[in-house]
Amino acid sequence: YPARSGNLVRPLIDGEAIARRLGEAVETARHSVWLTVAFCSDDFLFPDGRGLLFDVLDRAAARGIDVRLLVWRPNPEFGAGHRVFGGTPEQRAWLAKRRARFKIRWDRAAGRYCQHQKSWMIDAGHPAETAFVGGMNLTSVALQRHDVYVEITGPSAADVCHNFVERWNEASERHAVDGNWACDGTDALPYPDRPSAPRGGSTVQVQRMLDPSRYAVDRAEQSIVEQYEQAIDAARRTIFIVNQAVPVPRVAKPLLRAAERGVDIVLVVPAIPEDYAYKARLDPRGAALFDGIEALASHHGFTLAGVADQRAGRRRARYVHAKVMLVDDFWATIGSCNLHFHSMGGNAEMNASIWAGVVVRALRRGLLARHLALDTAGLDDRAALR
């Protein structure tokens, strides 16, 4: 998708703020609510008394809103757990029991990979269409994690809409007996024929990772990692990364070049990562994953950090699930793409990159307020990160 000017952009930080805004958007939708879903469970609860995810969506459908969920169905080799809504017989029976009114279509990735996009599209194709792109899953656990979303109104919202339509119309399970709910394989959506009208002053580009083993070669895309490389190589002052994973070599190498030319780099990751990170650290075959971070550690302008919360008078590590990078207080990317081999190698992902100093500075200020309990509004990017 192209970089489009004229967007109104609003970053949202952490689960409660994200879920509150999504709940408001669903309640005020006038035409449609479309979701791409990776991990999901029936315990996701919107704040302010709105209730559970499926209750909120059913209420929207009951008032005539076109509600659709495009949900990842894992392959057996993925070994998915209980936070996947893959359309099992038990889950379909549960939908039938509650007389779910919204439409669902399931979609697979290739092999052990995931359809990992997490987007919401409100009132697609109408003047007020609004898109949400980010990394938070639809589970109760996700609400407690450090995460980021971005709300987009304006021309780039049409690209989030196009992505949904493309995936809905071509979903792998659309002709399977159990591949749809409240619709069938003939249910197709029209593609958007024009971008939304300008609404603000930000340039935005919607970017994706699309695996060539799942999609046609002419449709395969790696624009997220390509943008990471270009943005890091363009950095002159600061790079601020908040991500669930340490960077793969393809990203770590340009980070090292940036450190060598004097760019300050802060990388915030989970202080206590998931088990796969420990296993990779102990496996000699995974050494390349960590070599880049160890090389960065020799530069005094590089900081690797985790974050903690105060809970019941005790300091506890908070899990970082966000997928964000800020460069020079002017450019940022927000989305679903982690910096690990799954996201870079085969997952379907979506990010939104933003060129707008006022938005990026506000995002930096909001993130550091969460991390440090300090207001950095009066500092430039280099002073703030130091």
Side-chain angles (χ1 to χ4, degrees):
Y1 299 115
R4 301 185 190 274
S5 60
N7 295 280
L8 182 63
V9 175
R10 177 187 178 190
L12 303 164
I13 302 174
D14 284 342
E16 184 173 350
I18 296 167
R20 173 171 289 112
R21 180 65 191 109
L22 291 174
E24 292 171 353
V26 173
E27 284 194 346
T28 57
R30 299 181 63 186
H31 304 281
S32 62
V33 176
W34 299 345
L35 292 68
T36 60
V37 180
F39 295 90
C40 176
S41 58
D42 60 5
D43 59 0
F44 181 87
L45 191 67
F46 287 97
D48 306 322
R50 287 189 171 87
L52 295 167
L53 170 69
F54 292 121
D55 292 335
V56 170
L57 297 179
D58 257 336
R59 289 201 300 270
R63 67 175 199 269
I65 303 298
D66 178 32
V67 180
R68 298 171 187 250
L69 285 75
L70 184 58
V71 185
W72 169 53
R73 173 170 286 174
N75 296 316
E77 54 265 50
F78 186 88
H82 64 284
R83 296 191 180 99
V84 171
F85 199 77
T88 64
E90 294 78 12
Q91 289 167 340
R92 293 177 67 85
W94 178 80
L95 289 169
K97 183 177 180 180
R98 72 189 316 279
R99 298 178 181 177
R101 305 187 185 195
F102 44 80
K103 296 179 179 180
I104 303 177
R105 180 167 285 172
W106 282 275
D107 192 22
R108 295 186 187 273
R112 62 189 178 92
Y113 293 109
C114 173
Q115 293 285 14
H116 198 241
Q117 296 177 349
K118 296 103 179 272
S119 66
W120 294 61
M121 191 70 219
I122 307 295
D123 290 341
H126 294 270
E129 69 177 353
T130 302
F132 296 85
V133 176
M136 188 180 76
N137 293 313
L138 300 176
T139 68
S140 60
V141 171
L143 289 170
Q144 308 306 316
R145 293 175 166 179
H146 182 39
D147 230 317
V148 179
Y149 250 76
V150 61
E151 177 179 351
I152 305 165
T153 53
S156 288
D159 297 327
V160 181
C161 174
H162 182 278
N163 173 82
F164 184 93
V165 172
E166 187 175 69
R167 283 193 55 200
W168 179 270
N169 290 352
E170 300 176 5
S172 65
E173 307 301 279
R174 66 190 184 279
H175 297 308
V177 174
D178 62 348
N180 302 278
W181 180 265
C183 60
D184 60 27
T186 66
D187 187 290
L189 291 167
Y191 284 89
D193 58 1
R194 65 179 65 87
S196 310
R199 298 288 296 276
S202 299
T203 295
V204 173
Q205 185 175 25
V206 175
Q207 298 161 332
R208 300 184 293 181
M209 299 294 286
L210 297 177
D211 180 13
S213 62
R214 168 65 176 83
Y215 298 95
V217 174
D218 61 346
R219 290 268 302 286
E221 183 175 333
Q222 291 194 331
S223 60
I224 295 176
V225 66
E226 290 164 357
Q227 186 75 90
Y228 263 94
E229 293 172 320
Q230 293 174 24
I232 292 168
D233 281 339
R236 292 296 175 264
R237 295 172 52 84
T238 57
I239 298 172
F240 185 18
I241 298 175
V242 185
N243 203 280
Q244 186 181 5
V246 296
V248 294
R250 187 170 173 182
V251 175
K253 289 177 181 177
L255 283 174
L256 182 58
R257 293 196 297 268
E260 289 170 344
R261 64 178 183 268
V263 176
D264 287 340
I265 302 170
V266 172
L267 172 58
V268 178
V269 296
I272 302 175
E274 293 183 323
D275 287 343
Y276 78 86
Y278 289 107
K279 293 176 181 176
R281 190 67 169 131
L282 296 172
D283 187 343
R285 294 171 297 179
L289 177 63
F290 301 95
D291 286 349
I293 300 301
E294 291 182 354
L296 281 165
S298 66
H299 295 269
H300 79 277
F302 172 71
T303 299
L304 179 69
V307 293
D309 280 343
Q310 294 286 348
R311 300 184 193 176
R314 299 181 63 186
R315 193 165 181 262
R316 298 177 58 184
R318 187 170 193 189
Y319 193 80
V320 174
H321 193 259
K323 304 94 168 58
V324 179
M325 182 169 75
L326 291 69
V327 174
D328 291 345
D329 247 8
F330 179 76
W331 178 92
T333 185
I334 300 170
S336 69
C337 191
N338 291 301
L339 297 180
H340 58 39
F341 285 111
H342 299 293
S343 288
M344 298 294 184
N347 287 357
E349 306 284 2
M350 176 180 286
N351 275 35
S353 291
I354 304 153
W355 289 258
V358 64
V359 173
V360 178
R361 286 192 294 274
L363 175 57
R364 179 257 291 174
R365 180 183 177 186
L367 289 169
L368 289 179
R370 298 289 198 281
H371 299 170
L372 307 175
L374 294 173
D375 186 357
T376 59
L379 303 177
D380 67 19
D381 53 333
R382 179 159 274 174
L385 291 193
R386 288 180 175 176

